[in-house]
Amino acid sequence: MTLPNLKNRTICFLLIIALILQSCAVYKKTPVTLNEAANVDRKILVVKTDNTKLKFKKIEKIDGVYYGLIKTKGQIEKIPLTESDLKTIRVLDKTATTIGNVAIVVGSLGVVFLVVAAIELSNLGDDWGDWSY
């Protein structure tokens, strides 16, 4: 494998990792009530009493019944929620999510630049001492 081919593959791999990791979400540490979650128009993380985690696009209250909205196969599915089955409800923290995503992208690009610089500098002294007059 030639060195330019290795450089291209390394750069592509690191950029793909950066793009995959930039979709992380950070939820607030303080739990909210089901009514408060229905009033917020953000993503919601619900932990049920059996410790299963559900991530909803939002929670709606229709005729006194709470529904969690999940997008599956391009369609919105409504899952009924009962307060007795829920352990914690946490709302998406937009500020922390934005900071985290920017930090991941900037950090990944920094690593890509460091790898490229290390590869380029490793070839710098290869012809040292090869002085033919």
Side-chain angles (χ1 to χ4, degrees):
M1 182 181 317
T2 64
L3 192 60
N5 193 14
L6 178 65
K7 277 195 266 185
N8 291 339
R9 286 186 181 198
T10 304
I11 292 170
C12 288
F13 176 74
L14 292 174
L15 287 175
I16 288 170
I17 294 297
L19 292 175
I20 289 172
L21 292 178
Q22 78 174 358
S23 63
C24 68
V26 178
Y27 295 91
K28 293 184 179 181
K29 292 183 181 181
T30 56
V32 297
T33 64
L34 197 53
N35 192 29
E36 291 171 341
N39 293 331
V40 176
D41 192 24
R42 293 186 190 166
K43 291 183 180 180
I44 308 289
L45 175 68
V46 173
V47 180
K48 296 176 78 174
T49 53
D50 61 352
N51 288 329
T52 57
K53 294 181 181 180
L54 300 172
K55 294 180 182 178
F56 297 113
K57 292 186 76 61
K58 69 184 230 178
I59 293 179
E60 286 184 345
K61 183 178 182 181
I62 302 172
D63 296 331
V65 179
Y66 292 98
Y67 294 95
L69 303 178
I70 294 179
K71 189 174 185 179
T72 55
K73 297 180 184 175
Q75 296 191 4
I76 302 293
E77 182 180 339
K78 293 182 181 179
I79 297 176
L81 300 171
T82 56
E83 198 152 353
S84 61
D85 290 340
L86 306 179
K87 190 175 183 181
T88 60
I89 304 168
R90 295 179 12 200
V91 179
L92 178 75
D93 188 353
K94 284 188 176 182
T95 306
T97 299
T98 303
I99 291 170
N101 289 337
V102 168
I104 288 172
V105 171
V106 169
S108 298
L109 288 175
V111 168
V112 168
F113 289 132
L114 285 174
V115 168
V116 169
I119 291 171
E120 290 296 325
L121 291 176
S122 68
N123 295 336
L124 189 62
D126 285 349
D127 59 349
W128 183 258
D130 187 21
W131 300 349
S132 55
Y133 294 104

